[in-house]
Amino acid sequence: MSLMDIRSRNNVTVAGRPGGRPLVLAHGFGCDQNMWRLVAPALAEDFQVVMFDYVGSGRSDLSAWSEERYAALDGYARDVVEIVEELDLRDVTFVGHSVSAMTGVLAAAAAPERFAALAMICPSPRYLDDEDYRGGFSAEDIEELLESLEANHVSWSSAMAPVIMGNPERPELGRELTASFCATAPEVARTFARATFLADNREDLRTVKVPTLVLECTEDMIAPREVGAFVQATIPDSRLVTLEATGHCPQLSAPEATSAAIASFAREIR
């Protein structure tokens, strides 16, 4: 696949400082690269900023989507690896929001020569509660969530997006996330949701060999603070920063604090 094919397939955009250390920003479930618009300009002052849409999201090439490839997070990690290889990026700081934090773990394991650091925004390696692990959801919760999405994607999006976003005093944020969820094709959303909410990447965290920043919010119904503590404790060279923000999307609700934390971390990487 040629460079232009990759750019078109994933709607790759590059901004910021030419020749600067690359930051690759990866959006979460039901979103696209537009979710970075409030943090990207600040990051672009010092870094080369690469943004993209996973196949099936945003302005990506939907014809490249297949359920077989994207039924598990490995397929999304392949998107990431192919992008950084075709752009010949090295010393990448990968910034992954939500489920993309685990995609970054998988991509860095697949192409370790390309990645220098990981920054995880509201990550969760497993959403389902386990014996000594609190992911935030019971098996019944996950089953109900997936069944509701599959039954009526639009209604599910309208109900869930404002809850995921949090910040009820700022309803425009919930409306934006609702619109983003609704814009995703139902088949794509169903497949991505199953890949997200049924995944268990806890053991993959132990394989991370690069410095890692874990960003959490003070309140987050999707990734409670116990999860942030677990991620930090499991990744050998990691630090946990709690943003003065609520909800699951601080790049929208607290963009200044989010961009400042990412930039400070990325500047330290050697």
Side-chain angles (χ1 to χ4, degrees):
M1 182 174 285
S2 71
L3 175 60
M4 289 308 297
D5 288 336
I6 292 287
R7 284 184 180 270
S8 176
R9 185 193 70 182
N10 289 98
N11 187 32
V12 176
T13 61
V14 181
R17 192 172 153 196
R21 171 164 253 157
L23 299 184
V24 175
L25 310 185
H27 64 81
F29 165 81
C31 300
D32 59 27
Q33 65 183 271
N34 188 53
M35 293 291 169
W36 298 112
R37 71 186 184 281
L38 300 181
V39 302
L43 296 174
E45 293 178 5
D46 295 317
F47 304 97
Q48 182 184 38
V49 176
V50 178
M51 295 177 287
F52 68 97
D53 299 330
Y54 287 117
V55 172
S57 302
R59 299 176 64 187
S60 67
D61 182 357
L62 187 57
S63 69
W65 185 86
S66 72
E67 184 173 1
E68 180 181 5
R69 172 162 173 158
Y70 295 104
L73 296 186
D74 288 337
Y76 303 91
R78 283 174 60 191
D79 276 10
V80 172
V81 171
E82 289 171 5
I83 289 167
V84 299
E85 288 182 343
E86 289 295 338
L87 296 180
D88 196 23
L89 301 177
R90 296 184 183 276
D91 295 324
V92 169
T93 296
F94 179 88
V95 182
H97 173 232
S98 191
V99 65
S100 275
M102 297 306 109
T103 301
V105 169
L106 298 175
E113 71 281 2
R114 299 282 177 176
F115 295 87
L118 300 175
M120 303 178 171
I121 302 177
C122 302
S124 180
R126 177 182 164 108
Y127 294 91
L128 184 63
D129 295 336
D130 204 355
E131 292 180 1
D132 298 317
Y133 171 83
R134 180 173 181 246
F137 295 85
S138 68
E140 292 75 18
D141 292 333
I142 296 293
E143 183 178 358
E144 181 179 348
L145 182 152
L146 294 173
E147 287 181 352
S148 175
L149 186 153
E150 292 174 5
N152 192 319
H153 172 233
V154 172
S155 294
W156 180 88
S157 299
S158 299
M160 284 298 297
V163 177
I164 293 170
M165 177 61 72
N167 297 275
E169 74 285 359
R170 299 167 67 186
E172 69 278 6
L173 296 179
R175 289 194 292 269
E176 177 174 345
L177 192 60
T178 298
S180 181
F181 280 8
C182 289
T184 306
E187 184 178 8
V188 171
R190 180 173 62 248
T191 302
F192 201 172
R194 287 193 168 275
T196 298
F197 291 106
L198 298 179
D200 186 351
N201 296 104
R202 289 176 294 177
E203 288 303 312
D204 294 309
L205 297 180
R206 304 184 192 279
T207 70
V208 175
K209 294 180 172 60
V210 296
T212 300
L213 172 68
V214 181
L215 289 179
E216 66 175 5
C217 294
T218 56
E219 297 178 24
D220 183 350
M221 73 151 291
I222 298 296
R225 294 187 66 178
E226 292 93 333
V227 176
F230 176 88
V231 173
Q232 189 278 322
T234 307
I235 296 177
D237 183 9
S238 63
R239 72 181 71 167
L240 176 64
V241 173
T242 304
L243 298 171
E244 288 299 320
T246 59
H248 193 59
C249 302
Q251 69 271 48
L252 291 178
S253 63
E256 295 85 2
T258 302
S259 59
I262 294 168
S264 177
F265 169 71
R267 289 189 193 105
E268 297 177 8
I269 304 304
R270 295 289 180 264

